[in-house]
Amino acid sequence: MLFRSRDARGQSLQPLEVSVNLSSPSLGDTPIERAMRATAPGEFQLQAFELGMSNRWRLRLRVLINDFEETQLETEAAFPPCHGRRRADAIMRPY
């Protein structure tokens, strides 16, 4: 999963930290929290890991903008079973 942080003009923003929380309420699973790794200016990537089964998942990104400000983005997405790398697109909206 790749997260790109941009302002209204499309310029790259530099958050201090980005993490993702994945949960599947229908499965009753405990949420999975992972830190995303900075890969380029304004870009953070989640290391690949297997979710175990396909289902609808709730994704919540926590973006630490500076030492005093953070925002959260939330969406839902369906992921296919993990058989190699697959791409899942989801539009994030402010939480």
Side-chain angles (χ1 to χ4, degrees), residues 73-95:
L73 306 164
E74 185 176 308
T75 194
E76 288 188 3
F79 295 105
C82 291
H83 302 295
R85 291 182 70 156
R86 299 277 180 115
R87 182 177 171 186
D89 293 317
I91 297 173
M92 304 300 288
R93 64 180 185 275
Y95 178 69

Side-chain angles (χ1 to χ4, degrees), residues 33-65:
E33 178 100 18
R34 296 283 191 271
M36 297 182 80
R37 180 175 54 93
T39 56
E43 289 188 7
F44 289 78
Q45 187 170 12
L46 180 64
Q47 295 291 344
F49 67 95
E50 223 172 288
L51 291 173
M53 63 177 41
S54 62
N55 201 13
R56 288 205 66 78
W57 292 85
R58 180 175 298 137
L59 288 79
R60 181 177 292 164
L61 284 174
R62 184 181 67 82
V63 182
L64 184 61
I65 297 165

